[in-house]
């Protein structure tokens, strides 16, 4: 059975990196961890957009190949690029997460996990490094992530609100149960 390709998306300070590390430990030493970040800052908008589209397209295909033998877990991927691209990099509104997803074959072994939280809780955890600078910024980003999440063509999706789910400690167990139950159901 192929290993999973897991995309962890969401707002800053929701525990994405912690979850990626926990899942990598579960799937063993061959697990591939990736952290997608923005392209070089000196690129203009059109080149910037093309740079990201081409690289995310290539990464989708590469990661699908790798999962023949190793799990792939990404800390942010294409959803974050579209959400933050519209809000902070001034990409036009017409770009959506499905622009890339329609160009690649998305297997039943691909998972999208969206982590969000209450804006007040996020403000308490903010260290000044987030794009968001206020509760309203965090609320708007959460809304944008939920829109792109709903548009996503990835078949196996789970949205977790950290506070509603009982905090960070429950997130790993919830995600792992979801992924493994879907993998089992897809293999039967």
């Amino acid at each position: 059975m192929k290993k999973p390709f897991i995309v962890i998306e969401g707002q800053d300070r929701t525990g994405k990196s912690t979850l990626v590390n926990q899942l990598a430990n579960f799937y063993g030493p061959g697990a591939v961890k990736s952290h997608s970040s923005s392209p070089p800052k000196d690129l203009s908008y059109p080149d910037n957009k093309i740079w990201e589209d081409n690289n995310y397209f290539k990464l989708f295909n590469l990661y699908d190949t790798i999962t023949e033998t190793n799990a792939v877990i990404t800390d942010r991927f294409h959803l974050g690029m579209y959400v933050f691209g519209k809000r902070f990099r001034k990409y036009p509104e017409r770009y959506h997460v499905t622009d890339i997803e329609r160009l690649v074959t998305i297997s039943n072994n691909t998972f999208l996990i969206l982590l969000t939280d209450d804006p007040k809780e996020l403000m308490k955890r903010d260290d000044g490094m987030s794009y968001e600078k206020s509760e309203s910024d965090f609320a708007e980003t959460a809304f944008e992530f939920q829109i792109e999440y709903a548009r996503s063509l990835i078949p196996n999706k789970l949205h977790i609100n950290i506070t509603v789910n009982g905090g960070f400690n429950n997130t790993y167990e919830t995600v792992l149960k979801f992924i493994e139950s879907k993998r089992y159901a897809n293999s039967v």
Side-chain angles (χ1 to χ4, degrees), residues 38-48 51:
S38 61
K41 301 270 188 243
D42 62 339
L43 294 178
S44 64
Y45 157 71
D47 294 330
N48 191 334
W51 185 95

Side-chain angles (χ1 to χ4, degrees), residues 4 6 8 14-34 71-75 113 115 160 162 165-177 179-180:
I6 307 165
I8 308 294
T14 54
K16 293 180 305 300
S17 297
T18 300
L19 181 58
V20 166
N21 289 328
Q22 290 170 323
L23 291 170
N25 286 337
F26 176 81
Y27 287 108
V32 176
K33 296 188 300 184
S34 168
V72 175
I73 306 134
T74 69
D75 183 340
I113 310 300
L115 304 179
I160 297 177
I162 302 301
N165 192 54
F168 291 115
N169 294 334
N170 293 336
T171 301
Y172 169 68
E173 289 84 10
T174 302
V175 169
L176 190 58
K177 284 178 189 173
I179 291 169
E180 289 305 303

Side-chain angles (χ1 to χ4, degrees), residues 2-188:
K2 284 180 80 166
K3 303 283 186 179
F5 171 22
I6 307 165
V7 177
I8 308 294
E9 287 281 4
Q11 297 169 273
D12 291 342
R13 309 295 166 246
T14 54
K16 293 180 305 300
S17 297
T18 300
L19 181 58
V20 166
N21 289 328
Q22 290 170 323
L23 291 170
N25 286 337
F26 176 81
Y27 287 108
V32 176
K33 296 188 300 184
S34 168
H35 189 285
S36 297
S37 60
S38 61
K41 301 270 188 243
D42 62 339
L43 294 178
S44 64
Y45 157 71
D47 294 330
N48 191 334
K49 179 74 177 108
I50 291 165
W51 185 95
E52 289 191 351
D53 275 354
N54 288 339
N55 281 297
Y56 284 101
F57 175 76
K58 289 175 189 172
L59 286 172
F60 251 117
N61 290 322
L62 173 65
Y63 290 158
D64 187 56
T65 302
I66 291 171
T67 58
E68 292 294 336
T69 55
N70 298 16
V72 175
I73 306 134
T74 69
D75 183 340
R76 284 230 171 96
F77 200 55
H78 62 308
L79 256 71
M81 186 270 285
Y82 280 94
V83 169
F84 290 114
K86 282 189 281 190
R87 295 211 57 231
F88 301 104
R89 297 184 196 137
K90 308 302 181 213
Y91 290 171
E93 287 291 320
R94 70 178 182 272
Y95 292 112
H96 300 293
V97 69
T98 55
D99 294 345
I100 290 175
E101 291 179 351
R102 284 191 181 104
L103 300 175
V104 296
T105 302
I106 298 174
S107 75
N108 282 337
N109 213 39
T110 303
F111 298 86
L112 173 59
I113 310 300
L114 176 62
L115 304 179
T116 59
D117 206 353
D118 178 80
K120 288 180 180 161
E121 293 299 316
L122 292 170
M123 284 299 294
K124 289 178 194 174
R125 293 192 294 269
D126 188 38
D127 62 0
M129 299 296 291
S130 300
Y131 279 111
E132 299 93 340
K133 301 301 178 199
S134 66
E135 283 183 31
S136 63
D137 280 348
F138 277 113
E140 190 173 333
T141 300
F143 179 71
E144 290 292 328
F145 265 111
Q146 291 170 48
I147 288 171
E148 295 302 333
Y149 170 88
R151 287 181 174 143
S152 174
L153 303 174
I154 293 175
N156 304 303
K157 300 190 284 191
L158 177 65
H159 175 198
I160 297 177
N161 178 294
I162 302 301
T163 301
V164 172
N165 192 54
F168 291 115
N169 294 334
N170 293 336
T171 301
Y172 169 68
E173 289 84 10
T174 302
V175 169
L176 190 58
K177 284 178 189 173
F178 171 76
I179 291 169
E180 289 305 303
S181 68
K182 290 287 188 175
R183 290 183 72 215
Y184 176 77
N186 290 338
S187 70
V188 174

